[in-house]
Amino acid sequence: MPEGQWLNIFSKEDYSDIANNIVKFNNYLTEKGIELIYVQAPVKTDNITNGGMFDIYKDYNYENANNLISILNQNNVNVLDLREKM
């Protein structure tokens, strides 16, 4: 990279199975009276504003995370999205 850094580029992935497993785990914990919070950590790339690096590579990290979080929100899983905070 021109800045001398190497960053991971994430391909488009279907995380619905992962999200559904988190939902099932949340439901199990809820039955036990335990609260779950899913924390989405940020990554180095900034795809919120530019959608990709150098207009050559498309990084799907934010889109993948948004899709996962959408499923969690639809199923009443508490989510703390640190991408919004940092």
Side-chain angles (χ1 to χ4, degrees):
M1 299 296 153
E3 296 87 18
Q5 297 179 358
W6 179 255
L7 302 173
N8 290 329
I9 305 297
F10 291 84
S11 62
K12 189 169 188 168
E13 300 286 338
D14 179 6
Y15 289 148
S16 58
D17 285 343
I18 294 169
N20 289 325
N21 284 330
I22 295 169
V23 169
K24 289 178 188 176
F25 186 55
N26 182 63
N27 292 340
Y28 171 79
L29 292 175
T30 299
E31 290 175 5
K32 304 289 184 190
I34 302 169
E35 189 172 345
L36 172 75
I37 185 164
Y38 173 83
V39 179
Q40 179 62 54
V43 295
K44 290 182 181 180
T45 56
D46 178 15
N47 284 341
I48 290 175
T49 56
N50 66 20
M53 293 188 342
F54 312 111
D55 298 324
I56 300 171
Y57 305 104
K58 172 71 174 152
D59 183 1
Y60 289 92
N61 183 59
Y62 275 84
E63 185 177 326
N64 292 338
N66 289 341
N67 292 337
L68 183 140
I69 289 170
S70 176
I71 294 170
L72 298 180
N73 286 333
Q74 291 170 11
N75 289 279
N76 301 314
V77 176
N78 294 319
V79 174
L80 173 60
D81 191 352
L82 292 179
R83 299 174 305 164
E84 298 170 357
K85 309 293 184 214
M86 298 180 127

